[in-house]
Amino acid sequence: MTMTMTTTQKGLLISSLMVGLLATLAGCDKKAADAPAVNETPTPAVAAEAPAVVQDVAAPVASACDGTAPAGELTPVRIEAANTTRTEPGLFEGPVWIKDALYFSDFVFSTGFPSRIQKLDANGVVTTVIEDSGSNGLAVDNDGFIVAGTHKYKSLSRFNPETGERSSVVEQYNGNVFNSPNDIAIAKDGTIYFTDPAFQRDAAPGGQERTGVYRVATDGTVTVVDDTINNPNGVSLSSNDDVLYVAGGGEQGVLRAYPIVDGVPQAGKNLAEITVPDGMAVDCLGNIYVTEHTERRLRVFTPAGEQIAQATTDANITNAAFGGADGKTLYLTGAGSLWKIDLAITGSAY
């Protein structure tokens, strides 16, 4: 049916269109005013919001820092299903959250420090995914593969978590193999940092004259970050990849921070004294979760080195990583044991 508009109706329609047009133009002006200038550099917090390549294989990645930092005394809960089935002493190490499961190394202290990679799935079931990995610390790269410090090969190795296939990442520095690559941190651009203490140096022949912290550039070039810490152990990166954290030094240990400028770590500064430091994790606010091995303790520090929380475990503790369905579960590895702490904040998946 065809309708004929009166003069009054036409006037009302034109007025309505003009109001809508003016509102649209005002909105565009506001967006233009709010938008950064073309030559502005995004702040680190904004840059970190871009979806990471590993988003579909690692812990859930929030679009912004999600949650509240812990405070006071925290309570770890032992995951009974993950208690070791081995009959000889050893350690769980290198937890990393990939897709919907926690992967970790499980090695013993006998000759060669035999190690395997285990998987704790969402149903609480533990299975062995790589039987003879020779691994300690684990991380996940941008392709979803496990990068491991492998004392068996005195190198960094890359494993396909589905098939177990292994390839080499880096094998030597200055013509010599490493001592016993331990813990790993990977920047968003693929740069790898790892510690090389002497704890499993006897697993295979050869090694370096000193223990150290290394950087592996995206082109494979290996450089020394620091060789002044005796047996450096835990290593992690701030959420914006602008600070490298290393813990080591044994009984009189330290937590040390290295500002990263143009992708290169600068001179380090001690943030806190740590007794027999081991692995660590970092939450999205920048707080650092450091494990003290023989103290059976987890300590949480602000980026300025102020302690804000702690937790005590019932066995020696080795490392920490965030995971779970919402990324807010902190998993702890130790002497044949796994624990978890439910937190109100997300953090690094290894």
Side-chain angles (χ1 to χ4, degrees):
M1 178 174 63
T2 302
M3 295 183 64
T4 302
M5 297 181 65
T6 66
T7 301
T8 301
Q9 288 174 324
K10 289 180 180 179
L12 290 173
L13 177 60
I14 292 171
S15 298
S16 176
L17 290 173
M18 288 298 294
V19 171
L21 178 59
L22 289 173
T24 301
L25 290 174
C28 290
D29 288 343
K30 184 180 185 304
K31 290 179 181 179
D34 291 344
V38 174
N39 61 352
E40 284 185 358
T41 301
T43 63
V46 174
E49 291 178 7
V53 177
V54 297
Q55 185 167 357
D56 61 342
V57 295
V61 179
S63 59
C65 188
D66 180 17
T68 305
E73 193 70 30
L74 309 176
T75 303
V77 176
R78 180 184 278 266
I79 302 174
E80 299 290 345
N83 289 343
T84 185
T85 58
R86 295 187 186 270
T87 57
E88 54 185 313
L91 296 172
F92 292 171
E93 252 287 10
V96 56
W97 186 264
I98 303 176
K99 291 184 179 178
D100 58 355
L102 185 77
Y103 293 74
F104 59 95
S105 292
D106 170 10
F107 70 88
V108 293
F109 299 141
S110 55
T111 302
F113 302 93
S115 180
R116 62 190 178 186
I117 294 178
Q118 306 259 57
K119 173 184 175 182
L120 173 71
D121 68 19
N123 296 318
V125 177
V126 176
T127 55
T128 300
V129 293
I130 301 175
E131 184 61 52
D132 184 21
S133 61
S135 62
N136 192 311
L138 308 178
V140 58
D141 68 12
N142 289 344
D143 296 316
F145 291 100
I146 295 172
V147 177
T150 44
H151 47 259
K152 176 180 179 179
Y153 306 102
K154 289 183 173 284
S155 68
L156 291 189
S157 300
R158 181 178 284 107
F159 292 97
N160 183 321
E162 302 297 331
T163 67
E165 181 181 2
R166 172 189 171 272
S167 61
S168 180
V169 177
V170 61
E171 298 177 344
Q172 297 183 345
Y173 175 73
N174 276 353
N176 294 319
V177 295
F178 298 99
N179 295 309
S180 57
N182 189 291
D183 211 357
I184 301 167
I186 305 178
K188 295 176 183 65
D189 68 356
T191 301
I192 301 173
Y193 299 93
F194 72 97
T195 54
D196 186 40
F199 299 131
Q200 288 85 46
R201 195 177 195 275
D202 294 338
Q208 297 289 320
E209 292 183 359
R210 302 172 67 90
T211 59
V213 183
Y214 293 89
R215 175 183 184 270
V216 184
T218 54
D219 66 357
T221 302
V222 182
T223 53
V224 175
V225 174
D226 194 345
D227 62 1
T228 67
I229 300 177
N230 180 42
N231 284 325
N233 199 325
V235 62
S236 196
L237 284 161
S238 63
S239 57
N240 294 323
D241 289 351
D242 57 359
V243 182
L244 176 72
Y245 297 104
V246 175
E251 290 287 342
Q252 306 298 320
V254 297
L255 170 63
R256 187 170 294 176
Y258 307 78
I260 297 176
V261 179
D262 295 329
V264 179
Q266 307 300 299
K269 174 185 177 181
N270 291 348
L271 292 183
E273 296 180 356
I274 310 291
T275 303
V276 191
D278 211 316
M280 68 175 80
V282 175
D283 70 27
C284 62
L285 287 175
N287 301 305
I288 310 123
Y289 299 63
V290 185
T291 59
E292 291 182 310
H293 185 80
T294 53
E295 296 294 303
R296 300 183 173 184
R297 182 170 60 189
L298 170 80
R299 297 169 69 189
V300 186
F301 298 91
T302 68
E306 176 189 358
Q307 182 172 328
I308 57 174
Q310 71 172 30
T312 303
T313 56
D314 57 358
N316 287 3
I317 185 174
T318 60
N319 219 322
F322 282 84
D326 59 0
K328 294 181 179 179
T329 300
L330 184 71
Y331 290 94
L332 307 173
T333 52
S337 309
L338 276 181
W339 302 267
K340 65 178 180 178
I341 303 175
D342 292 328
L343 297 175
I345 193 166
T346 58
S348 58
Y350 54 87

